[in-house]
Amino acid sequence: MEKGDLKILNKGEEEEMELQGYRLCRWRLALVGFGVLCTGGFLLLLLYWMPEWCVKSTCTRTTARDAEVVLLRSTDEFRRWFLARVRVMLAPGSNPFHSLETQTTSPSSPSSPSSHSCTFSNSSSPPLANGHTPHPSDEGPAQELIARFSDYQPTQIRYFTFHSTKYFWNDDVQNFKVLTGLEDLQVSCSSIHSEHSAGLSKNLQEYRRLFFGVNDIAVKVPSVFKLLIKEVLNPFYIFQLFSVILWSADEYYYYAVAIVFMSVISISTSLYTIKKQYVMLHDMVATHSIVRVSICRANKDIEEILSTDLVPGDVMVIPSNGTIMPCDAVLISGTCIVNESMLTGESVPVTKTNLPNPVPEHRGEVSSAYNTEEHKRHTLFCGTNVIQTRFYTGELVKAVVVRTGFSTAKGQLVRSILYPKPTDFKLYRDAYLFLLCLVAVAGIGFIYTIILSIMNKVPAKTIIIESLDIITITVPPALPAAMTAGIVYAQRRLKRIGIFCISPQRINICGQINLVCFDKTGTLTEDGLDLWGVQRVENGSFHLSEENAYKENLVKTQFVACMATCHSLTKIEGQLSGDPLDLKMFEATGWILEEATEEETSLHNQIMPTVVRPPKQLLPPEPNLSPEQDMELYELSPAYEIGIVRQFPFSSALQRMSVVARLLGEKRMDAYMKGAPEVVAGLCTKETVPEDFAEVLECYTKQGFRVIALARRRLEAKLSWHKVQNISRDHIETNMEFLGLIIMQNKLKAETPGVLQDLYKANIRTVMVTGDNMLTAISVARDCGMIPPKDTVIIADAIPPHDGQAAKITWRYADKPTKTTRLEEINISLEDVGAVEEPTTQEMYHFAMNGKSFAVIAEHFPDMLQKLVLHGTVFARMAPDQKTQLIETLQGVDYFVGMCGDGANDCGALKRAHGGVSLSELEASVASPFTSRTPNISCVPSLIREGRAALITSFCVFKFMALYSMIQYISVTLLYSVFSNLGDFQFLFIDIAIILLIVFTMSLNPAWKELVSRRPPSGLISGSLLFSVLTQILICLGFQTMTFLWVRQQPWYMAWTPLTDVCNLTSHLNESDLNNTEQDEHNIQNFENTSLFYVSCFQYLIVAIVFSKGKPFRQPSYKNWPFVVSALILYCFLLFIMFHPVESIDEFLEIVCVPFEWRVKLFLIIVVNAALSVLVETIILDIVLRKLVFSRDKQSSFGVTPAAPTLQGGIDLRAYRFLLCCPHKKAPKARYMHLAQELSVDPDWPPKPTTTTEAKPRPENGSSYQITISS
């Protein structure tokens, strides 16, 4: 194999990475060690910050197979570098799924029935080849096993750990691979029953544990010391340390102490926040993560072990009173009722049935490979709560362990929280670029100072200190603290309105949000459904709608019998629980549900059915009989009870559920079905379905109701209990009799429509992403205003490739909205835009799809997915990882995405979004950057407003700190030319009394009271911001240079000494003057210094006021009283000491007395400076240049915003006109706008409901699909 080969890990997956192999090189290590000593440890810091430099400077390239260190690089847009140490483990075998008893002396030979599985070994190498030593932590158990199987040669297993996942070297594919669990074997459903249901021997369990590790999701809480070291090694803090050492050498102790004090507070706050997050996550994961479990051994013994010892292949016994699942396992016998709220966010118990074991004659065609996603109805997931189990008495409910540790569903969730993708934000990238520019400016000053000092024979120590001092002046060490201030204040304001933040840096990013994804249940709507009414059908026609079914005349009707039996409810600790819809439906009947006890079940060879019966008060009264007759009749005539014999659970694919039930005393059984009205009506005989069915249904759905249809069929007499248990649902669900409709209401939260309207006006797109049913989601989207009444909803149904046919998408309308009026939308044509006078009207449309379609489109139509999300408004039946994937897709087209949800199933999406808000204080709050105490979406606009205010504050502070640096840099550079400098107390007064006071008060402006349609710019490198900073630097430079040159032209000017008396003061020379003469080694006291000090102090205040802007994102500065008071006090103080010198203050600040007429001239310079600064910033920039420069930035906020036009197209119209005026300007930067422009001129978009899109590669035009008209 070629040296230095590049491998791809996790190909095609989210965590795809490039891998290069390296071997440690001794002479390079020695050289780096010497470099570390020579640079005082700075080289070590540099290598810590740059992993790729660290590896390349200490190692030489080698093949991945022989690597001692691997260098990893992510293939996403961030291209991050990581390094990992390759370890070697000795094991008695090479493959975890081989049986030790059948292991041969040549470990690489396939020796088990699973010969197609991978071999994780380096079998050709001797046990201690390549200079590796086995990893000590793995040696103990391995050596014990090797001793037991001493006949077999120990095998060397090479692996490395990255992000809590072990990657093993695989000889077959010549790459590192992850072992996930039993699915690696691609086991079929039948082989799980036949080969994996017996359990593992203790030896085999220990052997597998060498590979899969301990079954524990370990979230280690780092010590404060470790966190401190990691935090302190931040480049900013290192620079601060350098500055503090330099100032101490220059005896500038006061400001050094102030910076140290601020840094300590900043670091302490950061450590507290990080530590708290780790503790919260650790506590969430640690709860019930280690339990005692019973497992079946291969010899049929039952043994109790700790859950940490479980490995894939173990057979676990699920206790009858329930447990918290410590792993992912597939149920092979019995039934479990599970609360999966940890995964799905829905606190609805789910019934899990045992994995079907296909009968031998059909096994070849039916038995497919087991997959946790496909077979989730039979899989118990880690972290979910098994409430109770049901099976024959004396029989055990068993499950085969499929995945353990971080490979489980819960483990993957925790990994996504522990190792999130970085959130890219232009502000921070631009901030570093801006700092680099400041460093370049500092470099010029550094060289200038050295050359000037050498020419004038200044001592070497002074040259070093003064030249380095220029760098600390140009790059202000207080910048991190200053930038943090606005965020801290915003965080405090958010806390006051009940929004808590664990990731303060995200507040700024929230200011850019232009799309918000909402979960539905519990977020937009109340948690449950309410029964609005029922509409029965008899003899093929509808009755009038009725409020409820709790009536004597309805108690024995088939309609009520269907409502009472067709559900998946169960009793848990005496309380009815199950799907909220089922619960409301059953409660509306007033019936009673009874489940068989364990004692009753033990009397039969089958599970006793669940029984439902009406309350006595609803049954017709019995005729008055004598007690003897009464007793006799009671024994003979059965009570009115219905037993539920068989359940076919609700299937989202089939959109229905059904049950087989029998009325007590009846010989024949009945099948009852409920589901989506169109589906149920299609399975009923035509004569039973009313002719006006479609009109009645449309009437309800348009009003936003959720409609459920009911049906029944009398089953054949030959169908016995046993036959029913094995019959397929297709035989049952046919030729049904239509019974009527149940109308349910999913109430919106009162605040929902208003908040969505506010976001709509602010030109912020809203998207619904839910785990609920598609039609319900569309109905709620219409109800809350997310989809306006006149807009069309196009459902994309994607089918994966099967039987040699390509994947395809069929398009259909969700409903047919009235099309009498049309909303105005801007159609931008890039070809002939100049000829258009008025915007064309086009029907607005929205795409809706479910999770399965989303997965198919993402895999087979990746280039179409980006087009679909531009107008995608409803995403239903989305799994947790699909929600995250949707967020990433939206971010991929340059949206700034917010996410609002309330369940643990939203964790990944909340973490991945630019701004995630959790409405729950449970699991989701651990992952979510923001948690709201208010359980509704009113927190979203508040967060965006505060984000915008914090972002504008960050710009103001950054601009101010840049000007502060440059003003001080200009002052010091000018003074260096006359071998002077600012005095220590002048620096101190500027740095603390002016800069820190102004920075920490100018950040206090609260957010503007409403959301406006314009967004603030996202980065510092924008035309308006650069113009603002550069013009203010030039103004300050001009006026300081003018002051410096003008003071030297004054008739009274001379080289200042303590004897100089230009103010005509009559004070006599005393001893202190002589002492001053001796002390002023640095030539601080002179006319140039004093003049520049006065002018520069006023310049700091001028730019602070000029940059401190209010509307439309912040309240105006005059409402920020701490800032106004601080600025006024400083103005008054400076004017006072300028026009009325106080000797003690002058001595402290080392300023000298200048003639009164020069003070007046200085005042005039300051006034003209202020007037020019205000003129340039407010008149030229805000009014004139905004239309030319800044308007292009605004494109990103009010350009073509798909699927969310503002009212009457007002905002879009301005962008449209802008494009008309400037047809040859560059295309918009945002990718979603670019795509919207392309689609606006595409005649085939949106796809018509009569078309099918097939995945057919067509290289000639680069498209991966083609549209065909279906018949």
Side-chain angles (χ1 to χ4, degrees):
M1 187 184 291
E2 187 191 337
K3 273 210 167 191
D5 56 336
L6 187 76
K7 302 287 184 188
I8 303 292
L9 285 184
N10 309 322
K11 195 173 178 71
E13 294 175 31
E14 190 184 352
E15 286 191 355
E16 186 178 275
M17 289 178 292
E18 294 167 354
L19 178 144
Q20 298 169 30
Y22 284 85
R23 182 192 290 276
L24 287 166
C25 175
R26 288 181 183 176
W27 68 265
R28 287 192 182 199
L29 277 168
L31 206 61
V32 168
F34 179 71
V36 168
L37 286 172
C38 292
T39 56
F42 182 71
L43 180 60
L44 196 63
L45 268 175
L46 204 61
L47 297 181
Y48 170 78
W49 293 329
M50 305 287 221
E52 73 275 24
W53 290 11
C54 178
V55 172
K56 288 173 182 177
S57 60
T58 56
C59 306
T60 53
R61 284 291 294 270
T62 184
T63 57
R65 189 177 190 275
D66 301 320
E68 294 177 5
V69 175
V70 289
L71 185 61
L72 305 165
R73 192 179 193 187
S74 64
T75 56
D76 56 19
E77 69 270 29
F78 302 105
R79 303 290 286 161
R80 292 170 296 159
W81 291 95
F82 306 95
L83 64 89
R85 187 78 188 266
V86 177
R87 301 190 181 281
V88 176
M89 167 179 84
L90 293 180
S94 61
N95 188 300
F97 298 112
H98 284 175
S99 167
L100 279 175
E101 284 71 22
T102 59
Q103 191 79 36
T104 67
T105 50
S106 173
S108 59
S109 63
S111 54
S112 83
S114 313
S115 57
H116 63 273
S117 62
C118 309
T119 305
F120 296 89
S121 69
N122 194 0
S123 54
S124 59
S125 308
L128 295 175
N130 305 325
H132 286 283
T133 53
H135 189 223
S137 64
D138 296 321
E139 200 171 346
Q143 292 298 343
E144 282 179 34
L145 274 175
I146 290 165
R148 283 185 217 164
F149 295 88
S150 52
D151 296 344
Y152 311 114
Q153 179 189 348
T155 307
Q156 198 181 80
I157 311 292
R158 305 163 60 76
Y159 72 96
F160 68 88
T161 306
F162 175 70
H163 283 180
S164 303
T165 303
K166 277 186 179 178
Y167 291 82
F168 289 87
W169 177 255
N170 184 324
D171 266 334
D172 295 345
V173 295
Q174 288 293 299
N175 200 353
F176 285 94
K177 298 284 282 183
V178 180
L179 282 172
T180 53
L182 210 59
E183 286 168 293
D184 294 336
L185 282 174
Q186 295 181 331
V187 284
S188 64
C189 297
S190 55
S191 68
I192 286 179
H193 281 279
S194 59
E195 296 171 28
H196 298 278
S197 58
L200 303 176
S201 65
K202 195 163 187 174
N203 283 347
L204 198 52
Q205 187 191 51
E206 284 180 19
Y207 170 57
R208 284 192 184 178
R209 204 178 306 125
L210 290 176
F211 293 87
F212 291 103
V214 174
N215 175 35
D216 186 23
I217 303 167
V219 177
K220 291 176 184 172
V221 180
S223 65
V224 174
F225 179 72
K226 272 187 181 177
L227 287 173
L228 178 67
I229 295 297
K230 196 173 179 182
E231 188 70 19
V232 167
L233 293 183
N234 182 301
F236 261 126
Y237 290 125
I238 296 298
F239 180 68
Q240 283 185 341
L241 181 67
F242 161 74
S243 303
V244 166
I245 292 166
L246 183 68
W247 293 331
S248 302
D250 200 20
E251 297 175 3
Y252 182 38
Y253 299 115
Y254 304 98
Y255 190 55
V257 169
I259 288 291
V260 168
F261 178 69
M262 285 193 299
S263 299
V264 166
I265 289 174
S266 175
I267 290 168
S268 304
T269 309
S270 184
L271 286 185
Y272 173 76
T273 308
I274 296 167
K275 180 88 174 175
K276 189 179 172 186
Q277 279 179 261
Y278 270 111
V279 170
M280 280 174 71
L281 185 59
H282 176 269
D283 292 348
M284 180 193 113
V285 172
T287 313
H288 309 296
S289 64
I290 300 175
V291 291
R292 296 199 74 82
V293 293
S294 297
I295 58 163
C296 300
R297 288 286 180 213
N299 57 7
K300 296 190 179 176
D301 286 347
I302 304 293
E303 186 181 320
E304 197 174 85
I305 61 167
L306 280 174
S307 59
T308 48
D309 293 336
L310 288 171
V311 295
D314 271 326
V315 176
M316 181 182 167
V317 176
I318 312 294
S320 58
N321 59 345
T323 183
I324 302 280
M325 285 301 293
C327 58
D328 287 356
V330 58
L331 205 56
I332 54 169
S333 64
T335 306
C336 291
I337 293 155
V338 186
N339 183 340
E340 288 192 327
S341 62
M342 198 284 295
L343 284 182
T344 62
E346 308 288 333
S347 55
V348 175
V350 179
T351 303
K352 301 277 184 171
T353 54
N354 60 310
L355 187 74
N357 185 14
V359 286
E361 58 266 26
H362 300 304
R363 194 165 283 175
E365 58 191 67
V366 179
S367 191
S368 56
Y370 168 77
N371 178 284
T372 46
E373 188 54 38
E374 279 179 35
H375 298 94
K376 61 182 177 186
R377 284 253 167 217
H378 317 292
T379 306
L380 305 170
F381 293 102
C382 180
T384 59
N385 184 7
V386 177
I387 301 165
Q388 66 182 42
T389 63
R390 298 188 72 192
F391 203 40
Y392 307 127
T393 300
E395 296 289 325
L396 297 173
V397 177
K398 297 178 187 176
V400 177
V401 176
V402 179
R403 294 179 176 187
T404 57
F406 277 99
S407 296
T408 61
K410 184 179 179 181
Q412 294 294 347
L413 178 67
V414 173
R415 279 184 75 240
S416 73
I417 297 169
L418 279 175
Y419 312 107
K421 272 189 177 180
T423 303
D424 189 27
F425 191 42
K426 202 167 181 287
L427 172 69
Y428 301 125
R429 279 184 285 134
D430 289 356
Y432 282 110
L433 278 173
F434 210 86
L435 284 176
L436 283 174
C437 294
L438 291 178
V439 169
V441 173
I444 296 165
F446 180 77
I447 295 161
Y448 162 77
T449 308
I450 291 174
I451 293 167
L452 195 68
S453 301
I454 290 170
M455 284 169 67
N456 291 280
K457 298 178 181 176
V458 176
K461 184 189 174 187
T462 311
I463 294 174
I464 292 166
I465 288 173
E466 288 191 347
S467 54
L468 290 174
D469 202 28
I470 279 280
I471 295 171
T472 64
I473 287 167
T474 319
V475 184
L479 185 62
M483 292 286 282
T484 307
I487 296 170
V488 169
Y489 296 145
Q491 191 175 359
R492 207 168 63 187
R493 288 194 297 270
L494 286 170
K495 194 172 181 179
R496 279 204 293 269
I497 57 173
I499 300 171
F500 298 89
C501 174
I502 59 169
S503 180
Q505 295 303 322
R506 297 282 185 110
I507 297 174
N508 269 345
I509 304 175
C510 289
Q512 280 294 306
I513 286 174
N514 58 352
L515 183 148
V516 185
C517 294
F518 291 99
D519 181 35
K520 183 185 75 68
T521 312
T523 304
L524 296 172
T525 65
E526 301 290 353
D527 276 323
L529 285 155
D530 291 317
L531 184 79
W532 181 85
V534 298
Q535 192 152 8
R536 295 183 299 122
V537 168
E538 273 184 20
N539 304 321
S541 62
F542 279 112
H543 281 252
L544 290 172
S545 62
E546 297 163 276
E547 229 177 278
N548 60 55
Y550 188 77
K551 294 177 181 175
E552 278 187 33
N553 62 323
L554 298 181
V555 70
K556 291 192 176 183
T557 60
Q558 293 296 341
F559 186 88
V560 170
C562 186
M563 285 178 73
T565 56
C566 196
H567 52 71
S568 56
L569 299 177
T570 185
K571 273 198 171 177
I572 297 166
E573 295 176 0
Q575 291 291 314
L576 266 182
S577 70
D579 187 284
L581 187 147
D582 287 352
L583 207 55
K584 286 282 180 188
M585 183 182 76
F586 184 76
E587 284 171 355
T589 63
W591 284 39
I592 296 152
L593 181 139
E594 288 178 356
E595 287 183 326
T597 61
E598 207 168 297
E599 291 75 27
E600 287 172 318
T601 309
S602 62
L603 301 173
H604 305 78
N605 63 349
Q606 62 205 39
I607 301 174
M608 285 290 285
T610 298
V611 171
V612 291
R613 56 182 173 78
K616 284 182 181 175
Q617 58 266 35
L618 282 184
L619 290 171
E622 297 287 334
N624 289 324
L625 298 168
S626 65
E628 292 80 12
Q629 287 175 309
D630 195 9
M631 279 300 294
E632 193 179 325
L633 272 171
Y634 181 78
E635 286 167 12
L636 294 172
S637 64
Y640 190 78
E641 288 182 356
I642 301 174
I644 301 166
V645 177
R646 172 96 194 265
Q647 262 185 25
F648 296 101
F650 176 79
S651 160
S652 54
L654 300 174
Q655 295 186 321
R656 63 181 185 267
M657 81 161 287
S658 55
V659 294
V660 175
R662 178 160 57 187
L663 181 66
L664 200 62
E666 287 277 342
K667 288 186 178 177
R668 288 171 71 175
M669 298 186 195
D670 290 289
Y672 294 105
M673 176 170 69
K674 78 167 192 295
E678 301 89 343
V679 174
V680 172
L683 295 169
C684 292
T685 53
K686 280 187 180 178
E687 59 272 15
T688 64
V689 181
E691 287 180 9
D692 58 346
F693 165 76
E695 289 79 17
V696 171
L697 178 61
E698 189 177 1
C699 175
Y700 286 125
T701 52
K702 272 189 176 177
Q703 294 174 63
F705 290 115
R706 180 165 179 189
V707 185
I708 307 294
L710 305 184
R712 57 89 68 160
R713 177 164 77 91
R714 200 78 193 267
L715 297 180
E716 300 81 9
K718 62 180 181 182
L719 278 177
S720 65
W721 189 93
H722 282 288
K723 282 181 181 175
V724 164
Q725 298 308 312
N726 298 308
I727 201 168
S728 77
R729 69 189 296 168
D730 294 339
H731 287 98
I732 299 289
E733 296 170 343
T734 182
N735 294 324
M736 308 285 277
E737 176 196 341
F738 193 79
L739 294 177
L741 304 172
I742 298 175
I743 300 100
M744 311 290 287
Q745 195 174 20
N746 193 187
K747 286 182 183 172
L748 285 172
K749 288 184 178 177
E751 302 79 6
T752 298
V755 170
L756 293 179
Q757 184 66 13
D758 288 346
L759 294 173
Y760 190 70
K761 286 177 183 172
N763 214 28
I764 294 169
R765 255 190 79 188
T766 50
V767 169
M768 186 189 294
V769 49
T770 175
D772 208 339
N773 172 277
M774 165 92 75
L775 297 171
T776 308
I778 293 171
S779 164
V780 171
R782 284 201 182 281
D783 209 19
C784 67
M786 200 177 274
I787 300 174
K790 304 289 187 283
D791 290 6
T792 305
V793 178
I794 303 168
I795 295 177
D797 282 326
I799 303 158
H802 65 286
D803 302 335
Q805 291 186 343
K808 61 180 179 181
I809 308 170
T810 52
W811 310 92
R812 61 186 172 92
Y813 284 153
D815 47 23
K816 293 186 176 72
T818 52
K819 301 184 181 92
T820 50
T821 60
R822 289 178 173 183
L823 284 177
E824 196 174 44
E825 190 197 72
I826 311 315
N827 233 354
I828 299 170
S829 166
L830 295 181
E831 293 162 11
D832 192 20
V833 76
V836 186
E837 289 188 7
E838 286 299 322
T840 57
T841 58
Q842 180 183 322
E843 189 180 298
M844 279 299 296
Y845 59 92
H846 304 256
F847 288 113
M849 67 189 81
N850 60 26
K852 283 185 179 174
S853 295
F854 180 82
V856 173
I857 293 167
E859 186 179 348
H860 300 284
F861 304 87
D863 44 352
M864 181 178 273
L865 185 62
Q866 292 195 333
K867 295 177 183 179
L868 287 174
V869 296
L870 284 186
H871 288 258
T873 304
V874 174
F875 296 86
R877 295 284 182 220
M878 297 286 275
D881 58 323
Q882 288 176 329
K883 289 186 179 185
T884 310
Q885 197 180 347
L886 173 65
I887 299 285
E888 288 175 356
T889 307
L890 289 164
Q891 289 171 338
V893 290
D894 298 337
Y895 276 113
F896 281 88
V897 186
M899 170 75 196
C900 185
D902 69 329
N905 61 325
D906 300 318
C907 277
L910 288 167
K911 190 84 174 175
R912 187 71 193 101
H914 290 108
V917 194
S918 164
L919 302 185
S920 152
E921 291 184 46
L922 302 173
E923 291 97 339
S925 63
V926 180
S928 178
F930 303 96
T931 304
S932 172
R933 280 264 172 90
T934 313
N936 60 61
I937 63 169
S938 61
C939 58
V940 173
S942 303
L943 178 63
I944 296 172
R945 283 190 299 106
E946 287 296 347
R948 288 179 174 186
L951 185 56
I952 290 298
T953 300
S954 293
F955 289 142
C956 293
V957 169
F958 205 96
K959 284 160 68 178
F960 176 68
M961 292 301 282
L963 259 293
Y964 148 61
S965 299
M966 295 314 296
I967 292 168
Q968 202 167 78
Y969 173 77
I970 292 163
S971 303
V972 171
T973 310
L974 289 170
L975 290 173
Y976 274 5
S977 68
V978 292
F979 308 106
S980 179
N981 198 351
L982 291 172
D984 283 355
F985 290 102
Q986 288 176 339
F987 273 125
L988 195 67
F989 175 75
I990 291 167
D991 291 344
I992 292 179
I994 298 181
I995 304 305
L996 292 186
L997 187 63
I998 290 296
V999 156
F1000 291 127
T1001 55
M1002 80 186 295
S1003 304
L1004 283 167
N1005 289 37
W1008 187 245
K1009 51 186 176 287
E1010 60 187 41
L1011 273 179
V1012 294
S1013 57
R1014 205 178 86 208
R1015 281 190 300 141
S1018 59
L1020 288 164
I1021 313 298
S1022 68
S1024 60
L1025 284 164
L1026 286 178
F1027 177 84
S1028 172
V1029 170
L1030 291 172
T1031 50
Q1032 295 299 333
I1033 288 172
L1034 290 172
I1035 290 167
C1036 293
L1037 173 64
F1039 281 98
Q1040 279 203 52
T1041 308
M1042 186 176 81
T1043 305
F1044 180 76
L1045 297 173
W1046 200 10
V1047 74
R1048 295 169 73 90
Q1049 303 301 318
Q1050 296 304 306
W1052 47 263
Y1053 176 82
M1054 64 180 75
W1056 189 89
T1057 68
L1059 300 171
T1060 306
D1061 188 17
V1062 293
C1063 296
N1064 299 318
L1065 297 176
T1066 55
S1067 59
H1068 297 288
L1069 193 67
N1070 56 34
E1071 285 181 25
S1072 66
D1073 294 327
L1074 293 170
N1075 290 339
N1076 280 343
T1077 311
E1078 291 169 6
Q1079 287 172 0
D1080 196 11
E1081 299 166 5
H1082 300 294
N1083 186 26
I1084 303 298
Q1085 290 176 304
N1086 54 57
F1087 297 122
E1088 292 92 338
N1089 171 293
T1090 300
S1091 301
L1092 287 178
F1093 174 74
Y1094 282 135
V1095 171
S1096 65
C1097 282
F1098 278 104
Q1099 282 181 338
Y1100 297 128
L1101 294 173
I1102 290 163
V1103 294
I1105 289 164
V1106 163
F1107 286 158
S1108 191
K1109 293 180 181 175
K1111 194 176 173 182
F1113 304 116
R1114 302 198 307 167
Q1115 299 277 4
S1117 291
Y1118 62 78
K1119 289 192 176 181
N1120 178 0
W1121 66 264
F1123 174 68
V1124 173
V1125 170
S1126 304
L1128 282 174
I1129 289 170
L1130 285 167
Y1131 268 122
C1132 293
F1133 175 76
L1134 287 168
L1135 287 169
F1136 173 74
I1137 64 169
M1138 192 166 85
F1139 285 107
H1140 189 278
V1142 178
E1143 192 177 341
S1144 56
I1145 294 174
D1146 286 1
E1147 280 181 20
F1148 179 77
L1149 292 174
E1150 298 178 85
I1151 52 180
V1152 297
C1153 186
V1154 292
F1156 185 78
E1157 62 268 22
W1158 178 240
R1159 291 177 212 161
V1160 173
K1161 287 174 183 174
L1162 284 177
F1163 180 69
L1164 287 172
I1165 289 170
I1166 290 157
V1167 169
V1168 176
N1169 186 340
L1172 192 59
S1173 290
V1174 170
L1175 179 80
V1176 167
E1177 187 71 19
T1178 56
I1179 309 296
I1180 297 175
L1181 177 70
D1182 287 359
I1183 297 170
V1184 180
L1185 283 177
R1186 174 164 289 162
K1187 291 180 180 175
L1188 301 174
V1189 179
F1190 194 36
S1191 58
R1192 227 177 299 164
D1193 296 325
K1194 285 195 286 182
Q1195 269 190 62
S1196 61
S1197 60
F1198 59 64
V1200 182
T1201 308
T1206 48
L1207 297 176
Q1208 304 306 313
I1211 302 292
D1212 285 345
L1213 194 57
R1214 279 184 281 166
Y1216 168 76
R1217 283 176 185 149
F1218 170 77
L1219 284 166
L1220 288 185
C1221 301
C1222 314
H1224 302 297
K1225 298 286 181 189
K1226 63 178 182 179
K1229 291 177 188 175
R1231 182 160 166 70
Y1232 69 84
M1233 286 185 64
H1234 189 71
L1235 280 169
Q1237 287 187 354
E1238 283 181 10
L1239 294 178
S1240 67
V1241 293
D1242 185 346
D1244 294 325
W1245 195 264
K1248 305 295 181 289
T1250 52
T1251 58
T1252 300
T1253 308
E1254 288 192 9
K1256 288 188 179 177
R1258 296 171 69 189
E1260 66 273 8
N1261 63 5
S1263 174
S1264 64
Y1265 56 84
Q1266 69 174 20
I1267 295 174
T1268 54
I1269 307 297
S1270 59
S1271 55

